[in-house]
Amino acid sequence: MTHDFTPRLMAARAAAKFLGISESKLRSLDIPRKTFGGNIVWDRTDLDAYADSLPYEGKEEPPCNVDQLFGVVR
């Protein structure tokens, strides 16, 4: 099935294509899944959140707030 828009709930093939990864890689990631009509689907908002959480190349991640509270330097 083709759409003129990105559906909210996607089967593995569409969700993997949305992220630009293989279906096996998608299934190995810790991205929440839902069931809909007896099928496992991924919610576009969860896929976006996963992509948003990835670090940018060459940029250091800011220290965790908890680390700052306790003066931990990494």
Side-chain angles (χ1 to χ4, degrees):
M1 174 183 276
T2 61
H3 302 282
D4 292 335
F5 57 91
T6 304
R8 172 74 186 264
L9 301 176
M10 295 177 255
R13 178 177 284 177
K17 187 174 180 179
F18 182 77
L19 288 177
I21 60 176
S22 69
E23 288 181 51
S24 60
K25 178 65 176 175
L26 172 70
R27 289 187 174 98
S28 74
L29 297 173
D30 191 26
I31 301 174
R33 304 167 203 193
K34 297 181 177 189
T35 56
F36 180 69
N39 298 311
I40 295 175
V41 294
W42 282 259
D43 189 318
R44 184 182 67 236
T45 59
D46 291 327
L47 298 172
D48 282 335
Y50 173 78
D52 289 343
S53 75
L54 296 172
Y56 285 95
E57 181 180 12
K59 293 195 175 205
E60 290 186 34
E61 292 185 37
C64 175
N65 290 338
V66 173
D67 289 347
Q68 291 174 343
L69 289 172
F70 292 98
V72 175
V73 179
R74 293 184 184 218

